[in-house]
Each structure stands twice: as structure tokens, then as C-alpha cells.
Amino acid sequence: MISANKAHLRSWLEVPAGSDFPLQNLPFGMGHVPVCGLRALSRIGDQAINLAALAEWGYLKGTGIPGPDIFRQETLNPFISLGKPVWSKVRERLLEIFSEDNAELRDHSGARARCLVPVDVVTMAMPVQVGDYTDFYASIDHATNVGKMFRDPEHALLPNWKHLPVGYHGRSSSIVVSGAGIHRPNGQRKPPDEPLPVFGPSTLLDFELEVGFIVGRQTAMGETIPVNRAEQDIFGLVLFNDLSARDIQSWEYVPLGPFLAKNFGSVISPWVVTLEALQPFRVPGPRQDPPVLPYLRHEQPGNFDIRLEVYLQPEGSVPSRICSSNFRHMYWSMAQMLAHHTVNGCNMRVGDLLASGTISGPEPDSYGSMLELSWRGTRPLKLADGQERRFLEDMDQVIMKGYAEMDGLRIGFGECRTTLLPSKSWT
Ligand code: CA
């Protein structure tokens, strides 16, 4: 485990100032490497580390991996299935090999040339095969804002909200990796002043700023994951843009919840950042009042101080930062989400994705969706180039960034980029 006292460690690889990927990060991902093909990777600075090549050259002996082929699969799932002791050992070994005073790879130019690839020639791919995807609603500021807008400003939170992390089952087939283009969905919406619904492209297309975490251990049906050991079953975290069509949503969601407004595309960042890397940034969450039931009670602080930003970039223009939020604002922690999800015996599988729900903070510029930033379209956002936005327009790019920073140590996620494409004709 990397603690704050390892913040001084440096790599013999160059790490540009402001990089999200110092030696202490060592995230995992999948990418297409020229000549080699699809490979499991890690990253330091602007260099991707080809884990299959590293294993071939014998640098990962003693970590518990069965051989280099574990890093030549379609996704990280087979590697994750080896268990936390193995991923932790691989990460610790990477930390050792790439520390500035370690010469074993640094001074071996033949191996170095095979194991390192500039990230700009790598095309990143989906890091995991997501079996099931669950979306929570765990930010108190987001839930309060939505409650104020659509229900009762005096009683914005529903009676269950502070007693359990509210969630719903999403769809995994439409989760894609950063860089994807997502078409504006067609669907039914009911204009408020018309008696009947109409069909066509959504006119209220939105992003949702979320953090997702990837489950690292298969559980059996009937098994529950206790809250105080739930983090052991988390492989790592990603940024997550859970696109939403607000007009389709408001018409369809009664009484069973979101359906086609939410399942046409969600985008994740390609590098999975581990909890070990984020350990120095652990912080207490907000006080939970009323007290939660015993099965949701934590012993250690379960939140993480991760700054989150959203930029909107119209076609041919410059990006404007439209949101600065923080993962520390979550009312419910990841451990509570996982404990709650399994308390009824629901089984988890390696690669399952659990997402936080929109992460809003208390300030108006920290709201994690256009719905809240423009307050249901009533307060248009002014962009740097003078354009205005209430919701997303075709060819807009949404760029999410996330990083934790303290005492000169910065652990980041890179970016999660989505381009909104025009709707497809339905005739
Ligand atoms: Ca969501």
C-alpha cells in the first residue's frame, strides 16, 4: 500500500509537471499497442507500460500471475479474477521496477524498448467487460436539487434517501470508453402544453458527472459483503459520464424508474485508478444523520478527496470549464453502496460497475449536470466563446477530468471525453 510517506518517491521515467500519472498512481487499462495488439497496460507520465512484455522479460516473477498471456486478453477481467493479492503485488512490483534508483529495467535498453510505449500511439480500449451496471443516486446535493426542481422545495429528499443508498439497475451493453461519439437518442417525450406525446430526437440531452468503481471479486448468490471489508472487493475507480435524455426520462420513468433515457450511452475513462493510489486522499464523508442501520456503519472514513471538473467544448471552439465538484461530497460511500447492493444476497461478478450517480457539490458551479447547472434550462450557461447552453447540442464535446492533489502528489484519472453526435434517422 502506498501511503502519504511515499509521496517523495520518483521514477526514472520522466513525469511532466501536472501529470496525473506519477509513479504512485500506476493505474491499469487496456490499449491497442502498435505491432503488438491489445494489451493490458499501466502508465507513468506519458509512457504506457506493456505488462505482457514486462512479464515476458521476467520482471513480474513472484507476483502470482500465471504468465504473460494474462495481459494479452480482451479485457482486464481475467487478471482481476486472480484476486487482490495478485493485483496488489503487480502494482508493488511496478513501483519497485520504476523507482529512480532501480536499474534492472532502466539500464536494460532492449527490454525497455519492448516494455514502454508512448501513450500517444496507444489507442485505449474498454478496460473491463462490464457484466452488470448499477447506478446510484448518492450525492445529497444532487438529490436535493432534483427534489427541489421536480417535487417539493421544502421536502426535497424522499423519506428513504438518508436510510439507504438509492440505486437502479442500468445497462452495460452501451458503456463505452472515452473518445466515443454518442448519437442523440430518439424517443417519446410529452411537451407540457400538448395532450399527446411526440416522437423524435431528445431536446434535453444532458451529461452526468459520476465516479464508477469496478468490482474485483466474484461473490456467490446469498453472500453479502460486509461494509467494513467492502473496499477489499473494489478493483479501482473510473470517471463516468452517464448521458441522460431529460425529456424522455420525465415522461417514461413513472412508475418503474429510468429506462430509455439512460441506456443509450455511458462513457468511462480508460485508466482504472486503484484505492491504493488514492489512499492518501481518504477523508470522512458528511455526518450521516439520522444514523444508518448497523449493516451500513463504517469504521474508517470512506470518502476520497478527488477534484472533478467538467469542460464543454462546442465544435471548432475552445473548452469552457462549467463544473468543479469533488467526490468527497458523496453522502454514501462506495463501501456502503457495495454492502447495500449485496445485503439481500445479490451476487457480484468481476467487472461489474457501480456508479455514484451525479456528483454535485453545494455551490452552483459544482453541480454535476446541465439540468442543475442551468436549473432546468432557466439559467443558461455562458461559454468562453460567447455561446450559451441550457443542454447539450450536437457535436459538443463533454470532457471530464478528475484528480487528487496534496503536498506535491497528484493522482489523476486523465480524461473521459464524449462527443454528442446528431440523432440517427428512424425511418
Ligand atoms: Ca446516473
Side-chain angles (χ1 to χ4, degrees):
M1 184 178 290
I2 297 184
S3 55
N5 63 13
K6 291 196 178 165
H8 65 282
L9 289 180
R10 297 280 177 271
S11 176
W12 49 264
L13 278 170
E14 190 196 338
V15 177
S19 172
D20 281 348
F21 303 99
L23 176 65
Q24 290 84 345
N25 191 341
L26 296 170
F28 292 103
M30 295 293 304
H32 296 274
V33 176
V35 184
C36 295
L38 189 57
R39 293 288 183 271
L41 307 169
S42 186
R43 173 173 180 171
I44 293 175
D46 294 333
Q47 296 288 318
I49 301 164
N50 180 338
L51 297 175
L54 210 56
E56 263 173 49
W57 284 83
Y59 287 103
L60 297 179
K61 284 199 180 110
T63 57
I65 59 160
D69 278 349
I70 196 75
F71 299 122
R72 292 195 199 104
Q73 308 293 313
E74 295 286 308
T75 63
L76 293 170
N77 294 45
F79 168 61
I80 301 171
S81 298
L82 298 174
K84 185 175 174 67
V86 178
W87 355 303
S88 293
K89 269 192 196 142
V90 167
R91 202 169 159 282
E92 277 166 23
R93 180 69 181 127
L94 293 174
L95 187 69
E96 187 176 61
I97 297 167
F98 290 96
S99 288
E100 63 185 343
D101 52 358
N102 188 306
E104 51 188 314
L105 180 64
R106 183 191 69 197
D107 295 351
H108 191 320
S109 59
R112 217 175 52 222
R114 295 286 310 281
C115 296
L116 296 173
V117 200
V119 284
D120 55 11
V121 302
V122 176
T123 306
M124 296 304 290
M126 274 294 284
V128 293
Q129 181 180 10
V130 180
D132 279 300
Y133 154 47
T134 302
D135 194 19
F136 285 89
Y137 188 54
S139 151
I140 193 165
D141 294 293
H142 173 65
T144 303
N145 286 339
V146 172
K148 279 183 188 169
M149 264 184 257
F150 292 97
R151 285 187 301 272
D152 176 0
E154 297 301 312
H155 303 92
L157 295 178
L158 289 167
N160 62 359
W161 200 89
K162 284 189 169 180
H163 294 282
L164 54 83
V166 170
Y168 73 98
H169 286 302
R171 187 167 176 85
S172 58
S173 65
S174 50
I175 299 175
V176 291
V177 78
S178 175
I182 305 281
H183 288 277
R184 179 179 297 272
N186 293 309
Q188 279 196 30
R189 59 194 157 85
K190 190 185 156 303
D193 45 0
E194 289 179 36
L196 294 172
V198 297
F199 179 83
S202 167
T203 59
L204 303 179
L205 189 55
D206 203 353
F207 66 84
E208 290 187 335
L209 168 65
E210 305 196 22
V211 169
F213 65 91
I214 289 162
V215 172
R217 182 174 71 93
Q218 176 160 329
T219 60
M221 277 179 74
E223 182 181 350
T224 62
I225 298 178
V227 68
N228 284 314
R229 68 162 311 279
E231 285 185 3
Q232 301 296 311
D233 294 336
I234 295 175
F235 176 67
L237 280 62
V238 290
L239 302 175
F240 189 65
N241 179 0
D242 193 25
L243 292 163
S244 299
R246 302 298 182 193
D247 43 359
I248 297 173
Q249 184 178 359
S250 60
W251 172 235
E252 75 171 3
Y253 88 103
V254 182
L256 289 186
F259 185 34
L260 303 181
K262 298 281 202 170
N263 67 4
F264 60 91
S266 302
V267 184
I268 67 171
S269 55
W271 296 104
V272 184
V273 177
T274 65
L275 282 176
E276 282 103 327
L278 293 167
Q279 192 64 24
F281 305 98
R282 183 185 290 279
V283 289
R287 194 168 77 89
Q288 294 184 315
D289 182 28
V292 296
L293 286 165
Y295 81 92
L296 290 169
R297 277 182 210 154
H298 274 167
E299 276 165 17
Q300 66 172 341
N303 279 30
F304 291 85
D305 182 2
I306 302 170
R307 297 179 210 184
L308 302 167
E309 296 173 342
V310 182
Y311 295 78
L312 198 157
Q313 183 172 6
E315 186 177 23
S317 188
V318 292
S320 299
R321 188 171 69 191
I322 57 170
C323 164
S324 302
S325 190
N326 196 308
F327 193 41
R328 71 182 300 159
H329 297 313
M330 302 307 297
Y331 190 83
W332 296 100
S333 69
M334 293 182 285
Q336 288 175 318
M337 292 180 212
L338 194 48
H340 182 67
H341 204 319
T342 59
V343 77
N344 64 346
C346 171
N347 49 322
M348 290 288 135
R349 291 180 295 189
V350 165
D352 284 356
L353 179 73
L354 276 59
S356 59
T358 306
I359 303 164
S360 295
E363 306 300 330
D365 68 349
S366 64
Y367 296 167
S369 64
M370 293 298 283
L371 176 72
E372 295 161 88
L373 288 165
S374 76
W375 207 257
R376 222 177 164 180
T378 60
R379 303 175 197 157
L381 292 183
K382 200 127 191 126
L383 304 183
D385 63 3
Q387 294 192 52
E388 286 189 347
R389 285 289 184 280
R390 290 175 166 81
F391 287 90
L392 300 174
E393 295 191 3
D394 289 349
M395 303 314 294
D396 280 353
Q397 289 193 44
V398 177
I399 305 143
M400 295 178 173
K401 298 183 182 184
Y403 61 95
E405 199 163 34
M406 186 177 59
D407 300 333
L409 175 65
R410 178 181 169 120
I411 302 288
F413 289 76
E415 65 175 34
C416 175
R417 183 180 290 259
T418 311
T419 304
L420 280 309
L421 303 175
S423 66
K424 284 192 163 176
S425 166
W426 62 88
T427 51

